[in-house]
Amino acid sequence: MKKYNLVILGAGPAGLTAAIYGRRAGMTVLVVERDSHGGQIKLTNSVENWPGTQEINGYDLGSTFYEHAKSVGTEFLSATVVGLDIRDNKRFVITSAEEVEADTVIVATGASFRLLGVPGEAEYTGRGVSYCAVCDGPFYRNQEVAVVGGGNTALQEAEYLTSFASKVHLIHRRGEFRAGKHLVDRILAQEKIVPHLHATVSSIAGDDSGVTRLYLRDVRDGQETELEAPGVFIFVGTTPHSSFLGGLLELAGDGSIITDHHLVTSEPGVFAAGDVRDTDLRQVVTAAADGARAAMGAYHFINRPGDSHHMGHNK
Ligand SMILES: Cc1cc2nc3c(=O)[nH]c(=O)nc-3n(C[C@H](O)[C@H](O)[C@H](O)COP(=O)(O)OP(=O)(O)OC[C@H]3O[C@@H](n4cnc5c(N)ncnc54)[C@H](O)[C@@H]3O)c2cc1C
């Protein structure tokens, strides 16, 4: 069985940055990826908040991370991680191709946005349908946008969008918002926010330019109304890719991995970085920063075992 100082699960911005830092610190590094290298940023045409580049295509950005990680001697395995095992104080990564032993592991498998599953959603993703106000909000200056969802994230993102949009239509299927009362009161007091309660989105429509309107259905009487807006932001939850861990690491209620501020999980020698982690900002820059810190944590775990951090200390 092959053995590495550091095995990284996932080749997104977090995993690839961890690989660069890990290799530069002199560790042997393997990255396991089930899909193409670069992570979910490859799905977007335009990234405008990666420092140093005013605008870059997401595919190109993900590819540069991969090329950089490869150039410093990172090894790659094309396989799906199906489990992580700890036996006799040793760590083993189980993949669809082979099992490898690791002195340290960084889980950087990312998260997916939960979809609404309505007609037009997939077709217009990146062309009016968005899951990230920080990424796409500035594109809708002085235009009307719709936000779908009723929890804390939806309301916080709706509030953020009021800095750009002329109106923010807040669509929620229940009769009241699920977010905390303080937040709900603050949001509803804002002039730009237009609540649409008891409403679901039945479809999203548009033309060559992207989204132009959406259709809402009143859940009480089934009546349909049309809402004109070039932007629809969907916040109905995220699904962290952590199910393969099978209960090995401590998770938050939404399935994200809990770490301390050194990014150590509940298992010593196992770190988590990026969108899979229990965190309040899911961006390329935060994922990359996590990757760097987790890799240095792994280096210290191997080289200075006496003072390596364990979750519960230095929180
Ligand atoms: C459409 C879109 C637009 C975005 N726009 C922006 C933007 O403008 N600016 C910005 O900063 N952020 C943006 N983001 C968010 C950004 O892409 C993420 O925050 C970032 O990619 C997270 O990096 P990560 O490495 O943690 O996870 P990911 O990028 O999700 O990478 C995780 C990798 O792990 C792999 N993986 C998962 N499970 C397994 C497994 N079991 N075995 C093997 N491999 C596995 C996945 O295939 C994936 O390649 C956008 C996201 C999307 C979807």
Side-chain angles (χ1 to χ4, degrees):
M1 188 188 305
K2 285 190 189 155
K3 186 180 172 190
Y4 295 85
N5 296 138
L6 172 60
V7 176
I8 298 166
L9 319 186
L16 293 170
T17 307
I20 294 165
Y21 276 73
R23 281 297 300 147
R24 286 172 55 82
M27 295 191 274
T28 52
V29 178
L30 176 75
V31 176
V32 187
E33 170 60 55
R34 65 179 175 192
D35 208 323
S36 71
H37 303 109
Q40 54 174 307
I41 197 61
K42 285 194 148 181
L43 299 174
T44 186
N45 285 330
S46 173
V47 180
E48 297 191 0
N49 54 8
W50 174 248
T53 51
Q54 286 177 15
E55 198 201 343
I56 184 164
N57 178 289
Y59 189 89
D60 293 343
L61 184 61
S63 300
T64 60
F65 289 162
Y66 170 59
E67 292 301 332
H68 192 169
K70 205 167 65 167
S71 74
V72 292
T74 304
E75 283 186 46
F76 288 89
L77 174 65
S78 262
T80 300
V81 178
V82 293
L84 186 60
D85 198 8
I86 299 184
R87 306 190 290 266
D88 306 327
N89 210 19
K90 291 181 182 160
R91 283 152 282 277
F92 300 91
V93 176
I94 305 151
T95 80
S96 52
E98 60 189 281
E99 187 169 327
V100 289
E101 190 182 339
D103 291 328
T104 57
V105 173
I106 297 177
V107 184
T109 42
S112 310
F113 302 110
R114 216 166 280 156
L115 306 181
L116 272 186
V118 299
E121 181 181 20
E123 188 183 346
Y124 291 106
T125 292
R127 296 196 301 134
V129 172
S130 171
Y131 302 86
C132 175
V134 173
C135 309
D136 299 328
F139 299 133
Y140 299 96
R141 227 169 265 283
N142 301 321
Q143 301 182 63
E144 296 194 17
V145 297
V147 168
V148 187
N152 283 321
T153 304
L155 268 67
Q156 278 159 1
E157 303 283 302
E159 184 172 46
Y160 180 75
L161 287 166
T162 60
S163 323
F164 314 99
S166 55
K167 254 186 206 164
V168 178
H169 296 274
L170 191 48
I171 299 155
H172 183 45
R173 65 195 151 125
R174 299 217 171 89
E176 43 186 72
F177 294 104
R178 277 186 296 111
K181 185 178 176 334
H182 182 71
L183 180 60
V184 174
D185 291 346
R186 194 172 78 214
I187 299 284
L188 294 182
Q190 303 211 18
E191 249 175 52
K192 285 187 178 178
I193 300 271
V194 184
H196 299 259
L197 290 168
H198 302 290
T200 56
V201 176
S202 47
S203 65
I204 298 169
D207 56 27
D208 287 348
S209 68
V211 169
T212 53
R213 62 200 182 284
L214 49 162
Y215 293 93
L216 307 186
R217 183 181 295 130
D218 190 312
V219 294
R220 294 164 301 186
D221 56 16
Q223 216 171 4
E224 285 235 331
T225 49
E226 188 178 326
L227 178 65
E228 276 187 33
V232 187
F233 289 81
I234 298 169
F235 303 109
V236 293
T238 47
T239 309
H241 301 147
S242 62
S243 56
F244 64 90
L245 292 166
L248 183 71
L249 304 181
E250 198 181 319
L251 303 180
D254 64 353
S256 57
I257 301 173
I258 297 176
T259 65
D260 67 7
H261 71 220
H262 298 285
L263 308 193
V264 183
T265 67
S266 52
E267 282 294 335
V270 180
F271 300 77
D275 284 11
V276 74
R277 195 165 76 78
D278 182 25
T279 177
D280 56 3
L281 189 60
R282 291 187 162 102
Q283 292 281 280
V284 175
V285 75
T286 48
D290 274 10
R293 295 178 62 223
M296 295 321 288
Y299 173 80
H300 291 309
F301 182 85
I302 294 170
N303 292 287
R304 288 199 244 138
D307 63 23
S308 59
H309 300 284
H310 299 281
M311 195 157 90
H313 296 177
N314 302 310
K315 270 199 171 181

